Amino acid sequence: MRWIRQYGIPLLRRLGSSVLTLWLITIVVFAMTNVLPGDVARRILGPFADERAVAALNHQLGTDRPLPEQYIHWLSRLAHGDLGTSLAMRRPVAQLLLPALANSAKLAGSALLVILPLSIFLGLVAAFSEGKALDFLIRLSGLVTTVLPEFVTSIAVILLFAIAIPLFPVTAVAPPHSSLPTQIYYLILPITPVTLVLVGYLCRVMRSSAVEILHTNYIRAAELKGLSRWRLLFWHLLPNALPPVIAVTANQLGYLLGGLVAIEAVFNYPGLGQLLLTAGRQKDFPVLQSGVLLVGLTYVLANTFADLLYWLLNPRLRERG
Amino acid sequence: MSRDAELRQKLHPIANHLIDEYQAGRLTRREFVRRLSVLGINLSFANFLASACGGGQNAASPTAAVPQTGSPAPQPTLNATPAGAGTPGSVPVVRAAVFMPAGKIDPITIADEGGLCLLSQTGEYLCWADEQLNLRPELATSWQPNDNASVWTFTLRQGVTFHNGKPLRAQDVVATFKRLTDPNSGSNALSAFQGVITPDGIKAKDEYTVVFELQRPFSNFPYLVSSDNYNTIILPEEYDGNYESTFIGTGALKLKEYQPRSKAVFVRNPTYWGKPAIPDMVELRFYEDESARILAFQGREVDVVTHVTASNGQPLFKDSTTQMIEFSSTTHLQVHMRTDTKPFDDRRVRQAIALLLDRPAIINGILLGKADIGNDHPFAPVYPSTDKTVAQRQQDLAKARSLLQAAGYGDGFSIKLVSWRGLAIPDLAAVIQQAAQQVRIRIDIELTDAGTYYGKAVFGESPWLDSTLGITDYGHRGAPDVVLRAALRSDGVWNAAHFKNTTYDRLVDDYAAATDLQRQRQIAKNIEELLLEETPLLITFFERYLIAARRGLSGIEPGAVGHLRLAHARFS
């Protein structure tokens, strides 16, 4: 019972507010898509199509019906577990979204596996050498890689490691039924620009958080008590310095899943970013809305997970309940 | 009877007229052949006529004289190596990087380069408009107009079957065009057929003859049933809209696999009526982004890249392993100036803006020289009917200043230029803005996305059609008629300049009805001069169409509208 009170109720409350948030997101996305000028059939047929053809296609697609009706239609199908039908591709949204989401998750997951350990390590190294040349070097290079646009770094890594020195493939998609090592091999290049952007950022968060903790009295006391470096690091420093990094990482998940548009474009990687961008351009609101909903859902889940980690890492929160 | 007279007796009066023109030296050999192709005369016969009538040295075999039913159409090829070098040997797979299709693959609604490029892999047209704007027989073996070009009769090829084994009949062709001209089908080709033909005008005379009874005379009509009007691939009569599952057609390739947003794979059609496909497999991979297409080519993941722009394709120009296939197109940007709104209601102001521009510098700066110069009218140099004697407009700042002075704008004015962010539009907008500064005209550039700019694409609900100054992109068209009518006629649905001129309207009607080239060219001259004088539009260049291919790859059949046929591609 205590456990339920401690974790269950806050979790439920959180989920409730998340569902509400997601629902509001769908309304905002729907409204924004429809505020844009032009209509769906016009976007499909182009500016030079005959008005009668546009009207006929809008009728076929159902996009000539009142907006609230279209929204309610989409929502009621969603309630039945149906993400709707793409207006441009005229096939089930799930057929388009789920593979794209899986691809994006693969890319984001692999990237995180590199980014997290690397930024924690670099952040700690910088923190321990605070004020020294190494600290300065790590911070400066982090800053440089963060401000470089992904589009530029993507093209640069391709030109270098796929064309000048042909070590890796240009296109990031491994042939179907490839083994895990092959799939990883194909993902190495596209992960690089994401890593460059995020490591610089996360490593600075890690550094400043670690520096702050290193200056606290309890660390000094632990040092004076003669605790080993490793014990100090894993027992006292990391649990207290990690929460901000976790929070920031969770916040980056939306970007990692749906925002890698430039990287997906350059590597021709069939992820969510490109799909949603195209859907936005075409006013294909079932795809856009369901996609945003999926990204939002992942985001909410990730943040809930991050909060759980917070609780686990922070005894004070655990005690308070 | 002499051979010449004998030949002439068999020919259509328009063809005879063309022979007169050719013999009188008013037509070059290439123009002569091209015009004959519009009349449905196949290329080998046209070449034979050119030699026989013009006294050329390489007379083709007279056996090619009559268009042969059932015989394969001569295949246009762009050879990197001389024809016949290299054996046709087995080519396992040819891979191309193409545009991501924008939506469902349905020949009725397709309106994008990615989608149309897929259509012509498996689908065929009555005639094929090649990169020189010649019309080559494909599913039609010949076509004939009546005397005033208001009724066109097409004879179909016999022995053609669809990929499902069903033979091609006139009923299939009739159904295809009725579907495309039906206002309730959502047809993207409807605007091209608007005012030309209705479903009632399309009739099967017999199993292999289709008659098109037009609403008005139209001498360039065959272009509307050719690959130039890319929606018109011939589909079976019972086509139900589910194209994606089969890509049904009559072509040399048939569908193996289509993965939306990823790729399409084609294999040889063993029952093809013509020359069998050379590669075992053709794979089209879809890319949203041009740099990604080019990088994939540089990384040797594809053998061909369709429609490369000059700016992005630059790294390939000097690469020794790459051949650039380059030919003239009629793709252009139109800068419209609203003739019914201040300050452009005064023609002198419009002329002044046109005189500010240094066209050769624009072509070299924006398109790295990969364009033909424009003279502020839609008659691109590649059209045979274009009159090239009309003087090219040159930059003339002094004249521009005096025109503005006379119009009362000596101190300049401020104006907003709207368009969308894409193609060469931002660059052209910036060039115009800078040029205008010289005469104290301040241009405020406002670029949105394409959808916003075109809006609902009707007057009153479209920045494109309502703005005082704007830039609009026009794709390639094999004949100038659609642009002449829609963009400039008083009742034109794309008339962003709000240009209303009864003389012009009459000239455009005359042009469409003119059945001989000399007459077309005379009218074209009048239209060109009128548009130069009135200057409702600035057309500074017509882009060349560029395709990058691996050196040694030949047999690519392109079309400036966006086709890239690879069925007869081979490596030497």
Side-chain angles (χ1 to χ4, degrees), chain A residues 18-317:
Chain A
S18 305
V19 170
L20 190 72
T21 313
L22 290 175
W23 176 60
L24 287 175
I25 288 175
T26 67
I27 294 184
V28 171
V29 171
F30 183 78
M32 279 172 61
T33 325
N34 284 295
V35 158
L36 297 173
D39 49 58
V40 182
R42 177 57 75 188
R43 299 266 168 140
I44 292 173
L45 294 174
F48 302 116
D50 192 286
E51 229 185 309
R52 290 168 299 164
V54 172
L57 188 58
N58 268 324
H59 186 68
Q60 284 173 27
L61 296 170
T63 39
D64 59 344
R65 283 183 293 170
L67 290 180
E69 193 187 320
Q70 291 183 46
Y71 178 75
I72 289 167
H73 180 67
W74 173 80
L75 200 64
S76 70
R77 285 178 75 171
L78 185 72
H80 293 90
D82 178 358
L83 294 177
T85 307
S86 158
L87 299 171
M89 305 296 284
R90 279 174 274 167
R91 52 175 67 216
V93 170
Q95 266 185 31
L96 299 166
L97 267 186
L98 298 180
L101 181 69
N103 286 332
S104 284
K106 212 190 289 176
L107 186 64
S110 328
L112 278 181
L113 283 181
V114 178
I115 291 167
L116 273 180
L118 195 63
S119 17
I120 292 170
F121 173 74
L122 288 175
L124 285 177
V125 170
F128 278 114
S129 46
E130 191 195 347
K132 292 185 197 148
L134 190 60
D135 177 28
F136 177 73
L137 191 73
I138 291 177
R139 276 192 297 159
L140 184 72
S141 45
L143 201 67
V144 170
T145 58
T146 308
V147 295
L148 273 177
E150 305 140 349
F151 190 71
V152 175
T153 43
S154 300
I155 291 184
V157 295
I158 290 183
L159 286 175
L160 266 176
F161 300 112
I163 293 168
I165 317 165
L167 289 176
F168 297 98
V170 177
T171 307
V173 189
H177 316 299
S178 298
S179 63
L180 190 65
T182 314
Q183 294 198 30
I184 292 172
Y185 169 66
Y186 272 81
L187 284 176
I188 290 176
L189 280 196
I191 286 174
T192 314
V194 197
T195 307
L196 287 177
V197 169
L198 283 187
V199 162
Y201 178 38
L202 285 178
C203 143
R204 269 182 299 137
V205 174
M206 182 67 212
R207 180 198 169 274
S208 61
S209 164
V211 163
E212 199 182 308
I213 308 285
L214 280 175
H215 285 283
T216 56
N217 290 332
Y218 66 85
I219 292 285
R220 206 162 302 145
E223 265 180 336
L224 291 173
K225 237 167 68 180
L227 279 190
S228 79
R229 269 247 143 141
W230 294 109
R231 198 172 157 79
L232 188 78
L233 179 66
F234 286 105
W235 215 248
H236 296 283
L237 178 58
L238 273 184
N240 291 299
L242 273 183
V245 178
I246 292 169
V248 169
T249 311
N251 266 320
Q252 292 298 323
L253 264 187
Y255 156 76
L256 276 171
L257 280 176
L260 301 181
V261 179
I263 292 172
E264 286 175 15
V266 174
F267 290 94
N268 206 34
Y269 190 76
L272 264 186
Q274 282 288 329
L275 184 70
L276 296 187
L277 181 70
T278 313
R281 274 195 202 127
Q282 294 169 324
K283 300 190 77 166
D284 193 346
F285 74 85
V287 174
L288 195 61
Q289 242 162 252
S290 303
V292 171
L293 199 63
L294 275 182
V295 174
L297 193 67
T298 327
Y299 188 75
V300 165
L301 287 178
N303 274 288
T304 313
F305 180 69
D307 283 357
L308 272 176
L309 271 182
Y310 239 95
W311 272 325
L312 293 176
L313 286 172
N314 194 329
R316 274 166 300 181
L317 281 176

Side-chain angles (χ1 to χ4, degrees), chain B residues 219-272:
Chain B
S219 54
N220 280 330
F221 177 72
Y223 282 104
L224 281 192
V225 297
S226 77
S227 55
D228 188 61
N229 193 8
Y230 47 82
N231 298 95
T232 64
I233 58 164
I234 304 301
L235 295 168
E237 188 180 5
E238 63 280 1
Y239 173 70
D240 61 357
N242 186 17
Y243 183 79
E244 276 187 3
S245 59
T246 57
F247 277 44
I248 189 147
T250 56
L253 295 173
K254 59 177 190 173
L255 182 71
K256 177 168 183 274
E257 184 193 4
Y258 169 62
Q259 283 180 23
R261 299 191 59 79
S262 170
K263 63 176 179 182
V265 183
F266 304 97
V267 290
R268 193 179 296 121
N269 167 16
T271 59
Y272 185 52

Side-chain angles (χ1 to χ4, degrees), chain B residues 224-503:
Chain B
L224 281 192
V225 297
S226 77
S227 55
D228 188 61
N229 193 8
Y230 47 82
N231 298 95
T232 64
I233 58 164
I234 304 301
L235 295 168
E237 188 180 5
E238 63 280 1
Y239 173 70
D240 61 357
N242 186 17
Y243 183 79
E244 276 187 3
S245 59
T246 57
F247 277 44
I248 189 147
T250 56
L253 295 173
K254 59 177 190 173
L255 182 71
K256 177 168 183 274
E257 184 193 4
Y258 169 62
Q259 283 180 23
R261 299 191 59 79
S262 170
K263 63 176 179 182
V265 183
F266 304 97
V267 290
R268 193 179 296 121
N269 167 16
T271 59
Y272 185 52
W273 57 267
K275 198 172 110 191
I278 294 172
D280 293 338
M281 206 188 273
V282 168
E283 190 175 313
L284 300 193
R285 298 186 185 168
F286 310 146
Y287 295 78
E288 290 274 9
D289 187 75
E290 191 187 354
S291 9
R293 282 196 291 278
I294 291 173
L295 289 169
F297 179 79
Q298 289 179 306
R300 308 192 83 83
E301 291 182 3
V302 293
D303 312 303
V304 191
V305 190
T306 188
H307 203 171
V308 174
T309 57
S311 50
N312 285 323
Q314 212 179 355
L316 302 176
F317 294 168
K318 284 181 194 148
D319 175 30
S320 62
T321 64
T322 305
Q323 54 165 329
M324 294 304 295
I325 297 170
E326 177 182 338
F327 50 92
S328 290
S329 86
T330 64
T331 302
H332 64 276
L333 297 179
Q334 282 187 5
V335 184
H336 66 259
M337 296 174 279
R338 262 188 82 156
T339 55
D340 60 349
T341 309
K342 272 189 184 315
F344 298 127
D345 54 348
D346 188 326
R347 112 162 53 105
R348 289 170 296 189
V349 181
R350 306 194 296 265
Q351 289 170 344
I353 303 277
L355 289 167
L356 293 173
L357 303 177
D358 179 353
R359 287 152 210 259
I362 290 176
I363 290 174
N364 287 326
I366 300 181
L367 294 154
L368 308 169
K370 304 286 184 195
D372 299 330
I373 196 162
N375 206 14
D376 297 333
H377 53 70
F379 282 98
V382 67
Y383 289 131
S385 58
T386 299
D387 187 300
K388 291 176 194 144
T389 63
V390 175
Q392 172 64 47
R393 183 169 257 161
Q394 316 257 356
Q395 187 185 35
D396 188 340
L397 291 179
K399 196 170 171 199
R401 279 204 185 90
S402 72
L403 281 168
L404 285 170
Q405 198 78 46
Y409 293 103
D411 295 327
F413 53 83
S414 293
I415 190 102
K416 192 161 78 177
L417 185 157
V418 302
S419 190
W420 63 281
R421 201 173 286 105
L423 311 171
I425 292 173
D427 299 329
L428 182 64
V431 167
I432 295 172
Q433 186 186 44
Q434 278 174 10
Q437 275 170 2
Q438 303 172 91
V439 287
R440 280 179 283 180
I441 297 173
R442 291 161 300 279
I443 296 181
D444 175 24
I445 300 173
E446 188 182 293
L447 302 178
T448 58
D449 71 300
T452 306
Y453 175 64
Y454 289 112
K456 282 197 183 293
V458 290
F459 294 104
E461 288 179 278
S462 160
W464 161 38
L465 295 171
D466 304 332
S467 54
T468 311
L469 180 64
I471 306 180
T472 306
D473 55 305
Y474 276 79
H476 171 83
R477 282 168 178 86
D481 300 74
V482 173
V483 177
L484 287 175
R485 291 188 90 77
L488 285 161
R489 219 173 170 279
S490 302
D491 56 356
V493 285
W494 311 331
N495 189 345
H498 295 239
F499 181 58
K500 293 193 169 42
N501 185 303
T502 46
T503 315

